[in-house]
């Protein structure tokens, strides 16, 4: 009887042990599968973070922007390069430790990379550079918003409300001159016996004749100090077909405040006339943002022309309302027209003198601004510089200086920049970034439209135990 009982126990224990062992193996297998999934997730996170850690250092140092340059310093930018870098990091994280390799041992995981693809991406210039804007705003997040650019917006409001950008003084002067030219002046018989029309002798003619020289050439005496740098714009992002991502994260919803932050970023990172930067290829970068010409001289020349337009409009408002100065011009006009017996020309000649005076004073203003001085937006008796006599030889009275109040050149420039469309500014800013980065070591073929901000990767991991794990992750600098 005892022997039979022992036999029952042996069979029972054998069956129990088999069940327990099966349960243990099932639990072990489940734990291993779970561990493989967890390690795959950890590997994916580590690898994708490692790929993002390969951001372009010079781009970050000079412009504070975090992007992966998919060229990695070569002449062949491609998302495939990033796939290869990502695969390298995945494999490194799945590899056995050095000791295990040395003794030929296998781990409980025995994992390896089967396949990897980047299935989504956002590049800097996607959706009209919305991605670049977002990256800039991330950099500017710590900038105080309260009162930001209030001076600039205030200056812009005054300029627009006073119609300084639409009042064409030169057109008025041309129409006035056409009126003068339409009058027939008295004639005399000259020494050759021919009839000759007398000259009006208008002193304003000497000033008007200089207008063709150009505002910049008149206002800056030493033009050797002006940068002669010129670039081939055809090789930069605003002029070439751009690389694009899949639209992974390129939405644009820029508020007014954020646009102010972008304006501040341009001002902080770009050089300009009188404040050039060593890193800059085009030395007058803010002027390039305004006008987009391929040379520093052309951009500065255009800025000078627009400054002259504004200054003439503002100076005309003061001069034409200043009774003593108008009386001086009228006295000269009366004398000239009385001598020639053409009193009907008195008012046109008076206005011709006033227009010439306005122009001469405006060139003097530009000379002050380009020399680093201040000029108020609207003149007064104390800030008006040229007398009527000095106006006739105004080029001899361009000595720079400062009017003691008002705006500097940079203030006028920032007001002008504010009026440029945001889309145009960000595209030109991308050009500037490319110009400067290509001057740094290892970035000779840098293209901002190949700079990666966010990407989605699908990672397929296999094991020697016969089961696979697929995982998809989206990573970026703000994810």
């Amino acid at each position: 009887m005892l022997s039979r009982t022992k036999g029952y126990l042996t069979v029972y224990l054998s069956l129990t042990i088999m069940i327990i062992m099966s349960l243990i193996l099932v639990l072990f297998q489940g734990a291993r599968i779970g561990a493989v999934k967890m390690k795959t997730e950890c590997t994916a996170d580590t690898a994708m973070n490692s790929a993002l850690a390969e951001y372009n250092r010079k781009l970050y140092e000079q412009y504070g922007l975090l992007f992966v340059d998919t060229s990695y310093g070569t002449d062949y930018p491609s998302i495939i390069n990033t796939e290869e870098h990502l695969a390298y990091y995945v494999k490194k994280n799945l590899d056995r430790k050095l000791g295990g390799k040395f003794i030929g041992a296998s781990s409980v995981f025995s994992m390896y990379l089967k396949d990897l693809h980047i299935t989504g991406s956002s590049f800097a210039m996607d959706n009209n550079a919305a991605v670049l804007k977002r990256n800039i705003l991330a950099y500017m997040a710590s900038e105080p918003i309260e009162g930001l650019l209030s001076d600039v917006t205030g200056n812009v409001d005054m300029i627009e409300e006073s119609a300084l950008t639409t009042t064409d003084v030169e057109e008025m002067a041309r129409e006035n001159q056409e009126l003068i030219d339409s009058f027939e002046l008295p004639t005399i018989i000259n020494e050759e016996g021919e009839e000759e029309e007398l000259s009006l002798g208008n002193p304003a003619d000497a000033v008007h004749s200089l207008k063709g020289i150009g505002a910049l050439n008149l206002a800056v005496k030493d033009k050797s100090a002006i940068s002669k740098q010129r670039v081939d714009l055809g090789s930069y992002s605003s002029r070439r077909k751009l690389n694009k991502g899949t639209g992974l994260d390129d939405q644009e919803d820029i508020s007014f405040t954020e646009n102010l932050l972008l304006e501040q970023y341009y001002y902080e990172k770009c050089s300009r006339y009188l404040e050039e930067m060593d890193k800059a290829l085009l030395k007058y970068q803010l002027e390039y943002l305004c006008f987009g010409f391929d040379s520093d001289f052309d951009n500065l020349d255009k800025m000078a022309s627009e400054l002259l337009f504004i200054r003439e409009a503002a100076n005309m408002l003061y001069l034409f309302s200043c009774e003593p100065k108008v009386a001086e011009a009228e006295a000269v006009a009366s004398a000239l027209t009385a001598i020639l017996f053409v009193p009907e020309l008195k008012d046109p000649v008076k206005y011709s003198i006033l227009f010439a005076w306005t122009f001469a004073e405006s060139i003097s203003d530009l000379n002050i601004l380009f020399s680093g001085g201040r000029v108020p937006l609207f003149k007064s008796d104390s800030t008006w510089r040229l007398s009527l006599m000095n106006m006739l030889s105004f080029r001899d009275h361009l000595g720079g200086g400062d009017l003691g109040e008002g705006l500097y050149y940079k203030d006028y420039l920032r007001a002008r920049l504010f009026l440029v469309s945001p889309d145009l500014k960000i595209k030109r800013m991308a050009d500037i970034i490319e110009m400067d980065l290509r001057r740094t070591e290892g970035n000779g073929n840098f293209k901002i439209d190949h700079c990666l901000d966010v990407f989605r990767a699908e990672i397929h991991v296999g094991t020697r135990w016969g089961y696979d794990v697929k995982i998809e992750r989206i990573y970026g600098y703000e994810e």
Side-chain angles (χ1 to χ4, degrees):
M1 184 68 180
L2 182 60
S3 176
R4 183 181 296 179
T5 301
K6 288 181 177 180
Y8 289 150
L9 289 173
T10 301
V11 172
Y12 175 77
L13 289 172
S14 298
L15 292 174
T16 302
I17 290 171
M18 289 177 62
I19 292 171
I20 292 172
M21 287 298 296
S22 298
L23 178 61
I24 291 172
L25 290 172
V26 168
L27 291 174
F28 178 78
Q29 183 73 348
R32 179 159 59 187
I33 292 172
V36 167
K37 290 181 179 178
M38 183 178 68
K39 184 170 182 179
T40 301
E41 291 179 357
C42 291
T43 297
D45 294 341
T46 302
M48 294 179 79
N49 274 320
S50 297
L52 289 172
E54 295 184 299
Y55 59 87
N56 188 295
R57 297 300 190 267
K58 289 297 181 181
L59 181 59
Y60 180 74
E61 289 171 8
Q62 292 192 8
Y63 288 98
L65 304 178
L66 288 169
F67 284 106
V68 174
D69 178 6
T70 57
S71 75
Y72 297 90
T74 71
D75 294 338
Y76 306 101
S78 172
I79 194 67
I80 295 174
N81 295 331
T82 306
E83 280 188 351
E84 292 174 351
H85 282 239
L86 183 60
Y88 170 80
Y89 289 122
V90 171
K91 290 175 182 177
K92 277 294 182 182
N93 280 277
L94 294 179
D95 275 354
R96 289 174 293 168
K97 301 298 183 184
L98 184 60
K101 289 182 177 180
F102 183 73
I103 65 174
S106 61
S107 71
V108 69
F109 301 114
S110 296
M111 300 165 63
Y112 62 93
L113 179 63
K114 291 188 71 173
D115 200 10
L116 183 147
H117 292 289
I118 292 179
T119 57
S121 58
S122 281
F123 290 93
M125 299 304 292
D126 288 0
N127 190 20
N128 293 319
V131 177
L132 177 57
K133 288 181 184 178
R134 187 182 68 240
N135 210 299
I136 291 173
L137 291 173
Y139 170 78
M140 298 292 290
S142 61
E143 192 81 17
I145 296 177
E146 186 176 354
L148 187 66
L149 296 181
S150 58
D151 291 342
V152 177
T153 54
N155 292 336
V156 170
D157 289 343
M158 284 193 291
I159 289 171
E160 291 186 327
E161 288 170 4
S162 303
L164 300 187
T165 58
T166 56
T167 303
D168 193 340
V169 177
E170 286 305 310
E171 180 61 26
M172 297 178 188
R174 280 191 291 271
E175 291 176 357
N176 185 72
Q177 187 60 44
E178 289 174 1
L179 179 60
I180 293 174
D181 294 340
S182 66
F183 279 84
E184 291 187 9
L185 297 177
T187 60
I188 60 171
I189 304 299
N190 60 25
E191 294 178 356
E192 286 75 23
E194 298 174 346
E195 189 176 29
E196 179 182 334
E197 189 176 69
L198 289 173
S199 171
L200 184 60
N202 183 1
D205 290 344
V207 175
H208 292 310
S209 66
L210 297 174
K211 293 180 178 179
I213 296 176
L216 185 61
N217 287 321
L218 286 172
V220 179
K221 287 187 173 182
D222 182 14
K223 284 172 279 297
S224 65
I226 298 176
S227 168
K228 305 300 189 296
Q229 184 64 49
R230 183 179 294 273
V231 297
D232 176 14
L233 291 178
S235 65
Y236 296 104
S237 63
S238 66
R239 305 293 180 93
R240 66 169 186 264
K241 185 177 180 180
L242 297 175
N243 172 63
K244 293 182 179 180
T246 63
L248 184 62
D249 187 13
D250 62 356
Q251 298 304 307
E252 180 181 23
D253 187 15
I254 305 296
S255 67
F256 177 76
T257 301
E258 288 174 328
N259 268 320
L260 293 183
L261 285 172
L262 291 173
E263 291 287 327
Q264 183 64 21
Y265 178 84
Y266 301 145
Y267 185 72
E268 289 181 7
K269 297 299 181 182
C270 292
S271 63
R272 61 172 179 81
Y273 181 69
L274 297 179
E275 283 192 17
E276 296 83 1
M277 296 180 182
D278 291 338
K279 73 175 180 64
L281 178 60
L282 281 180
K283 297 304 179 183
Y284 311 148
Q285 294 177 330
L286 287 178
E287 288 86 347
Y288 175 75
L289 291 183
C290 288
F291 308 112
F293 293 120
D294 64 356
S295 76
D296 281 328
F297 186 91
D298 289 344
N299 286 311
L300 189 62
D301 185 54
K302 181 62 175 177
M303 183 62 197
S305 296
E306 296 209 0
L307 263 178
L308 178 63
F309 192 99
I310 292 172
R311 291 305 319 146
E312 281 195 288
N315 287 335
M316 186 186 74
L317 288 176
Y318 164 78
L319 183 61
F320 280 53
S321 64
C322 180
E323 293 182 3
K325 289 182 173 60
V326 171
E328 285 185 65
E330 187 169 14
V332 174
S334 296
L336 290 175
T337 54
I339 292 173
L340 296 179
F341 303 103
V342 281
E344 62 272 24
L345 274 178
K346 184 185 76 171
D347 282 345
V349 171
K350 176 186 74 173
Y351 285 117
S352 177
I353 294 170
L354 290 173
F355 283 130
W357 204 349
T358 297
F359 176 80
E361 180 74 11
S362 300
I363 292 296
S364 176
D365 292 344
L366 265 63
N367 176 257
I368 293 170
L369 292 171
F370 287 138
S371 301
R374 289 170 294 176
V375 173
L377 195 56
F378 300 103
K379 288 290 186 71
S380 63
D381 291 344
S382 62
T383 56
W384 189 269
R385 197 172 210 190
L386 296 178
S387 66
L388 180 57
M389 290 302 297
N390 289 344
M391 175 268 286
L392 301 176
S393 57
F394 72 92
R395 299 184 76 181
D396 297 330
H397 300 277
L398 302 178
D402 186 285
L403 295 183
E405 61 181 86
L407 309 179
Y408 291 101
Y409 170 75
K410 65 180 180 181
D411 300 316
Y412 284 97
L413 178 59
R414 293 189 78 177
R416 178 61 183 84
L417 180 63
F418 193 83
L419 297 174
V420 179
S421 76
D423 285 346
L424 201 52
K425 276 183 285 198
I426 193 65
K427 289 178 181 178
R428 290 173 178 169
M429 186 67 206
D431 288 349
I432 287 172
I433 293 172
E434 287 190 342
M435 291 176 196
D436 293 351
L437 263 289
R438 290 179 187 180
R439 303 181 74 205
T440 63
E441 185 177 356
N443 293 294
N445 195 40
F446 175 81
K447 295 179 179 178
I448 196 166
D449 53 312
H450 285 275
C451 286
L452 185 67
D453 174 66
V454 179
F455 68 102
R456 179 178 61 231
E458 184 180 274
I459 301 171
H460 187 186
V461 172
T463 69
R464 63 177 294 189
W465 312 109
Y467 52 87
D468 300 348
V469 178
K470 282 186 178 181
I471 190 170
E472 187 177 78
R473 286 284 188 273
I474 297 176
Y475 263 71
Y477 292 107
E478 294 181 63
E479 296 300 312

